[in-house]
Amino acid sequence: MASTSSTAAALTQSQLGKLGESLVNSKYSQKQESNADDYGYDFLKSHGKNPWSMAMAFTKLGELEGSGANGLSQMFSSHPSTPDRIRHIIDRCHKDKIAPPKGCTLK
């Protein structure tokens, strides 16, 4: 690795360890966030609320985020990507045969 990149060569073993730890911890946090999304979906559904609202809220969040996130920053993010979160909720709504509310343009 050191022969291909001067940046990689400059990293100390300690820095590489911290980098690896950050990557592992971010993936663990993403799993927790996905579990929280599923909990929120189940909570809304069990209380007679339409869980499409989650996908709609994530869509608004995605609009606010803009295109600033790149692949590298997403690797270390504590949250799954917003498009993935939207798709997961929509897929669950379709699976559960829950219709989107009037005016919802998501499919």
Side-chain angles (χ1 to χ4, degrees), residues 3-103:
S3 66
T4 60
S5 170
S6 60
T7 303
L11 292 174
T12 66
Q13 188 174 10
S14 173
Q15 289 169 323
L16 287 173
K18 287 179 183 177
L19 183 67
E21 182 180 357
S22 294
L23 182 59
V24 168
N25 287 339
S26 69
K27 293 300 177 192
Y28 181 71
S29 295
Q30 286 181 14
K31 179 67 174 161
Q32 289 175 314
E33 288 295 328
S34 294
N35 288 343
D37 290 349
D38 283 334
Y39 178 86
Y41 178 98
D42 293 337
F43 181 87
L44 289 172
K45 187 177 162 190
S46 71
H47 285 82
K49 305 298 181 193
N50 192 328
W52 276 91
S53 60
M54 288 181 69
M56 295 165 67
F58 286 145
T59 299
K60 286 286 186 191
L61 178 64
E63 291 168 4
L64 294 173
E65 288 175 346
S67 59
N70 62 37
L72 185 60
S73 65
Q74 184 58 41
M75 275 179 46
F76 292 96
S77 174
S78 62
H79 290 70
S81 76
T82 301
D84 287 347
R85 295 173 89 178
I86 295 166
R87 182 81 260 146
H88 178 69
I89 296 302
I90 290 173
D91 289 348
R92 286 199 64 189
C93 287
H94 286 303
K95 181 180 174 221
D96 291 340
K97 296 181 174 45
I98 299 172
K102 278 190 173 183

